[in-house]
Amino acid sequence: ITITTSGGLTASATITVAQLEYIALDEIKTLSVTATDTGAQTYTFVPEEDGVYAFCSNCEEIDVYCEILDSYGDTIAEDDDGGEGLNFFAEFYAEAGETYYLHTTTYSESGTGNYSVTVKKLQDATGLRLSRMSYKGEVLDHFNLQTELIPDNSVSEDIIWSISDTTVVEIRDTSDGRAYFRIVGKGNAIITAESESGFTATCVVTAEEPEEI
């Protein structure tokens, strides 16, 4: 690029555009992170079918982040720690034949090593399960339940929680795919989790008074 002033002075700069690497569906790409390289990479992805996809990472100790852009360069999804641990898991709807740009990077203070990324096509859920089907405890005990859609590669859904008897157990918080509960009274209660598509799973709670010391 050359710029010339009205007085005849010129200045120029050279811009080198590298061809982006393509990532195919279910292909695993491995990146290295060093003290001077954050492992940043942008891939192009062109789906063969309309649907919901997920760009996800696999690492143990490196904090990774991703951003997904459409063919116009607009951000349509981004994620930091939506997967297990420090991994990202970004869902996005994609149209067949369109080009998408999947950018991944790490934080400079996140350490060194390798991490991998992949693109998966997500499916509609066919069921729902909880991390436990029953819980037995004492008044003032705390516990949590985690939901899991079936199959594992299901499109994410919001979960609605309900309790048959709130004088026995109450919900304290919902975050990170879990619901946190506290036992508040003696008795029995059923906790029900229901997905947006109508699938349910239950946990039976049996609560006793604490033993006197």
Side-chain angles (χ1 to χ4, degrees), residues 111-132:
T112 61
N114 297 326
Y115 74 100
S116 62
V117 296
T118 189
V119 181
K120 301 178 181 179
K121 190 174 190 300
L122 303 183
Q123 310 295 324
D124 291 335
T126 58
L128 178 70
R129 56 176 167 244
L130 288 176
S131 52
R132 63 178 79 192

Side-chain angles (χ1 to χ4, degrees), residues 153-187:
N153 62 334
S154 297
V155 177
S156 295
E157 298 186 20
D158 289 334
I159 302 296
I160 298 174
W161 296 90
S162 60
I163 303 171
S164 63
D165 191 342
T166 54
T167 65
V168 176
V169 61
E170 64 180 11
I171 190 166
R172 304 288 290 174
D173 185 31
T174 55
S175 60
D176 302 325
R178 296 177 183 269
Y180 297 83
F181 301 90
R182 182 178 70 172
I183 295 177
V184 294
K186 181 180 178 180

